[in-house]
Amino acid sequence: MSSSFCLTPQTYHVLTDGVRRDPEEFWLKEGHRRLVWSREPTRAMDQEKGWFADGTLNASANCLDRHLPEHGEKTAIIWQGEEADHVIRLTYRELHARVCAFANVLRDCGVKRGDRVAIHLPCVIEGIIAMQACARIGAMHVVLFGGFSAEAIADRVADSGAVVVVTANVGRRGAKRIPYKTTMDAALRLLGDKSTVRHVLVVGVTEDEVPLEAGRDALLEPLLRAASMDCAPEAMNATDPLFLLYTSGSTGKPKGIVHGTGGYLTWASFTHQLVFDHQPSDIFWCTADIGWITGHSYVAYGPLANGATILLFEGMPSHPTPGRWWEVIAKHGVTTFYTSPTAIRALMSEGDEIPGRYDLSSLRVLGSVGEPINHEAWTWFHEVIGGGRCPVVDTWWQTETGGAMISLVPGAVEARPASATLPLPGVNPVLLDEKGQPLEGAAEGILCIDGSWPGCALTIWNDDALFQTTYFKPYPGHYFTGDGARRDEDGYFWITGRVDDVINVSGHRIGSAEIEDAISEIHDISESAAVGIPHDLKGQGLIVYIVPHEGLDKAVTAGLKDQVVRIIGTKVGRYAVPEKVFVVPDLPKTRSGKNVRRLMRKIACGETEGFGDLSTLANPAIVPELIRIVGEG
Ligand code: PRX
């Protein structure tokens, strides 16, 4: 193993040993040394009150102000636009000034501590600035993924009770314009009088003009120019929420996962440093959208808390030419590159010759997140992109965990291809069988986590009971991740995918219930089921079965597939549109009326036998019927 990394197996052992021996002392020390506090916490974990409960701090002061005395002139953000010469660099001092101005604009809009601010932006620096500005004044940000439909945005804005929305006139994709403001207008129209939104602030990404509603909408730029660049950070309790972020589960509507301030930030900083072997000269590029947790922890918070230089790229991996990402890495000397298996597989399919045209020698550490990475993609990433010399950190974690949980640590842990390797210090994963019994040694089972860790979510917004039932009730005494995993005799983990009804398409978490809810709006359909099946590029593909009402005429039935695609695009977003829709007379059910998804999944994969005992089904005859329909395509 190379000795150029911060940690060695020996120093890492000291760390893991320390946390095992005395977690309270370990985390209190980490909290103190990683963050600046307005009141230092005297305890790390309190079962009742949470992490660092008697400490106070501000997340934005931790990401910005603290770096100013010694590193104010260091580049915080390099933003690369789609056009080669479209580059913006901000030092920590400049970023701080912009965040303060933005925070004052929010205050002028009446935003107070504890209020929610929704952010719906393309990849522009204002996304990070807006998040930091919210944190500065103690408002919670609610970042909404750019690909959400108006209805999906409306649901989330309503649930969060956001008082201000930050959006853009448009997003850019080559010559194409993505209508951010128009989508937001449609979302707010859907909410009508029930909308809690008082102001809409519009970032002018281009010169394109968009309609502004008097009294509600304003262009941001003139407000920022007029705003003061002084804004004292609000001292927050460590357990005050920093943000809420919506994610999908196996049942019901997407839930607003709430993260706290002190614990979350400690975890983001700790894991960013360990997992990516952070060194001050690094140029850190995480390709995730800020609309997802990866963009929160490894674009916005972890790297900035650690004083890193981050790269933001507005464009696509292979647009306008294949190799665009590699060109960006070579141009900016990126050292640390963190992306998804879906992107790796897509880039791999273009061949080795394309990355071979670029000088990728600046790379030190490569990372993967969001879905299981297959052996072939891992090896290609390691060999072709990393030249065999860069560790590939496959980081397993979730929106709820706040930061990486199981991951390779460069220099300290020996890699195994396609394995997330070992739990990070302070993380105690267990594998359970279906009855909830712990499995020892080499085994495959349901992945749960024991005990707490600083990055653990606080709750679900507006629904703590759901938080408890979703994560702590399925296997009492353990946090239920929803994933399955295999562990080898040396304790290395391989994540096998979701064991619940969450479908992971290109790293986007989609709840089968979300899809089925959307389809239930189509009157001619009596029932539907969404399942995930393996997909070469996307990891999983979404397949939908629909059951039309009896007696529909042929023409209506023929139009149902298109309706399904349309309604999913409208209610959820284009990213959730299924690969295939099968029109079937019924769904396989147990005698108690539950859909048997396991069977539907297997049949959608093209399997025709080996389904086990079908006599327990209420309608076994439907099985050959489904096989026939799927077989016909
Ligand atoms: O199924 C796991 C998968 O993504 C889920 C979490 O999704 P989300 O909350 O959107 O967060 C994604 C980014 C952290 C997990 O339950 N997942 C995430 N990382 C990995 C993974 N599956 C396998 N390997 C990973 N490295």
Side-chain angles (χ1 to χ4, degrees):
M1 230 177 286
S2 160
S3 58
S4 61
F5 300 109
C6 300
L7 284 166
T8 63
Q10 291 74 24
T11 51
Y12 190 60
H13 180 73
V14 173
L15 215 64
T16 47
D17 202 41
V19 71
R20 207 174 298 124
R21 261 203 332 267
D22 192 344
E24 174 65 22
E25 189 200 350
F26 181 90
W27 288 120
L28 196 57
K29 219 156 107 193
E30 283 297 322
H32 284 167
R33 86 185 178 90
R34 294 196 166 274
L35 304 181
V36 287
W37 301 81
S38 35
R39 188 174 70 221
E40 297 243 328
T42 60
R43 291 205 50 195
M45 178 50 183
D46 182 313
Q47 288 290 347
E48 294 281 290
K49 299 183 184 144
W51 283 92
F52 307 112
D54 63 351
T56 64
L57 76 166
N58 181 278
S60 153
N62 268 283
C63 291
L64 305 172
D65 307 43
R66 68 192 284 197
H67 304 310
L68 299 187
E70 283 179 37
H71 304 292
E73 310 324 315
K74 180 174 178 177
T75 303
I77 302 181
I78 304 170
W79 180 88
Q80 171 70 61
E82 260 196 356
E83 286 159 34
D85 59 356
H86 201 177
V87 177
I88 301 171
R89 283 168 193 275
L90 288 185
T91 63
Y92 269 93
R93 199 173 305 288
E94 289 163 335
L95 180 60
H96 174 262
R98 293 216 193 182
V99 167
C100 287
F102 202 126
N104 283 325
V105 169
L106 291 176
R107 279 201 171 132
D108 290 344
C109 289
V111 179
K112 294 188 303 298
R113 188 183 169 118
D115 283 347
R116 275 79 58 213
V117 173
I119 300 172
H120 185 238
L121 287 172
C123 182
V124 288
I125 44 178
E126 284 78 2
I128 307 281
I129 296 173
M131 291 165 84
Q132 290 285 336
C134 289
R136 197 157 189 92
I137 62 172
M140 301 163 67
H141 51 73
V142 187
V143 186
L144 304 168
F145 171 51
F148 284 150
S149 68
E151 293 204 25
I153 293 172
D155 281 350
R156 289 158 176 83
V157 168
D159 185 71
S160 66
V163 293
V164 167
V165 164
V166 183
T167 188
N169 57 345
V170 291
R172 269 182 292 236
R173 193 168 299 153
K176 225 172 120 187
R177 295 289 174 263
I178 322 280
Y180 274 79
K181 173 68 164 59
T182 314
T183 306
M184 185 54 73
D185 284 341
L188 297 181
R189 248 194 325 274
L190 286 168
L191 295 175
D193 294 346
K194 290 200 205 88
S195 173
T196 46
V197 174
R198 297 193 297 259
H199 296 283
V200 176
L201 300 172
V202 183
V203 176
V205 171
T206 61
E207 300 293 312
D208 297 61
E209 291 201 4
V210 286
L212 297 176
E213 190 180 300
R216 189 194 70 177
D217 303 352
L219 289 176
L220 187 67
E221 195 49 40
L223 301 179
L224 286 176
R225 268 201 306 270
S228 154
M229 289 185 194
D230 275 331
C231 178
E234 191 86 16
M236 306 300 289
N237 294 321
T239 53
D240 280 339
L242 176 60
F243 62 84
L244 69 99
L245 182 62
Y246 285 88
T247 190
S248 299
S250 52
T251 51
K253 287 188 176 245
K255 16 184 209 257
I257 299 294
V258 182
H259 276 289
T261 306
Y264 170 80
L265 209 57
T266 302
W267 195 242
S269 157
F270 176 75
T271 54
H272 168 255
Q273 173 135 38
L274 244 67
V275 167
F276 299 105
D277 182 57
H278 170 62
Q279 298 186 12
S281 55
D282 280 345
I283 309 287
F284 183 82
W285 183 13
C286 164
T287 64
D289 187 288
I290 57 161
W292 305 118
I293 190 67
T294 311
H296 282 57
S297 303
Y298 300 114
V299 179
Y301 286 110
L304 294 180
N306 291 342
T309 299
I310 61 169
L311 183 115
L312 296 177
F313 177 50
E314 183 189 38
M316 316 281 285
S318 300
H319 181 86
T321 48
R324 184 73 176 106
W325 270 7
W326 315 129
E327 191 184 330
V328 169
I329 290 176
K331 174 175 173 180
H332 294 288
V334 169
T335 58
T336 321
F337 180 58
Y338 189 32
T339 191
S340 68
T342 289
I344 297 168
R345 286 188 291 262
L347 293 160
M348 182 171 75
S349 71
E350 291 172 351
D352 300 359
E353 191 254 330
I354 298 207
R357 291 180 200 155
Y358 301 93
D359 176 8
L360 302 179
S361 61
S362 58
L363 287 170
R364 289 197 313 114
V365 176
L366 300 173
S368 166
V369 63
E371 342 145 39
I373 183 165
N374 46 315
H375 203 287
E376 196 190 352
W378 190 98
T379 307
W380 184 82
F381 203 30
H382 185 249
E383 297 303 324
V384 178
I385 304 307
R389 69 177 194 285
C390 305
V392 172
V393 295
D394 173 18
T395 60
W396 173 84
W397 58 293
Q398 312 181 290
T399 304
E400 297 86 338
T401 69
M405 299 288 278
I406 303 181
S407 171
L408 185 82
V409 175
V413 170
E414 203 68 65
R416 293 199 182 159
S419 166
T421 75
L422 302 173
L424 292 178
V427 176
N428 301 305
V430 286
L431 293 181
L432 306 181
D433 68 14
E434 304 236 312
K435 293 196 185 92
Q437 291 307 309
L439 299 163
E440 302 300 330
E444 183 164 342
I446 295 153
L447 179 64
C448 289
I449 314 284
D450 279 0
S452 187
W453 63 98
C456 182
L458 300 183
T459 186
I460 292 174
W461 183 248
N462 282 336
D463 205 343
D464 192 56
L466 183 64
F467 185 65
Q468 302 302 333
T469 47
T470 307
Y471 302 108
F472 299 101
K473 211 157 169 207
Y475 299 97
H478 313 277
Y479 163 84
F480 170 55
T481 65
D483 280 320
R486 180 167 68 78
R487 186 178 51 209
D488 73 9
E489 55 287 349
D490 299 321
Y492 275 57
F493 283 86
W494 276 262
I495 309 299
T496 51
R498 301 288 303 199
V499 294
D500 57 5
D501 295 329
V502 170
I503 302 155
N504 190 333
V505 179
S506 302
H508 297 325
R509 211 164 130 170
I510 302 169
S512 47
E514 233 178 311
I515 301 296
E516 292 156 16
D517 276 359
I519 297 173
S520 69
E521 305 263 321
I522 304 175
H523 297 303
D524 292 328
I525 295 177
S526 70
E527 208 185 351
S528 71
V531 296
I533 63 165
H535 187 286
D536 283 349
L537 271 185
K538 301 176 182 175
Q540 278 195 299
L542 184 66
I543 300 293
V544 171
Y545 293 93
I546 54 171
V547 183
H549 280 304
E550 273 178 42
L552 281 187
D553 76 52
K554 273 208 167 126
V556 176
T557 309
L560 285 179
K561 289 189 187 183
D562 286 345
Q563 276 196 56
V564 166
V565 168
R566 254 196 322 271
I567 203 137
I568 294 174
T570 316
K571 296 220 149 252
V572 185
R574 297 281 318 155
Y575 72 98
V577 160
E579 301 291 315
K580 274 225 157 106
V581 180
F582 293 113
V583 181
V584 296
D586 199 1
L587 301 176
K589 289 189 191 311
T590 61
R591 295 226 172 88
S592 57
K594 270 183 82 177
N595 288 338
V596 188
R597 288 176 192 278
R598 178 185 59 82
L599 267 179
M600 289 190 267
R601 229 174 271 135
K602 280 178 172 252
I603 295 171
C605 289
E607 292 182 32
T608 54
E609 53 190 19
F611 299 140
D613 182 10
L614 299 181
S615 66
T616 53
L617 293 184
N619 52 351
I622 193 61
V623 171
E625 189 65 4
L626 290 193
I627 292 172
R628 183 186 62 76
I629 294 168
V630 169
E632 285 169 2

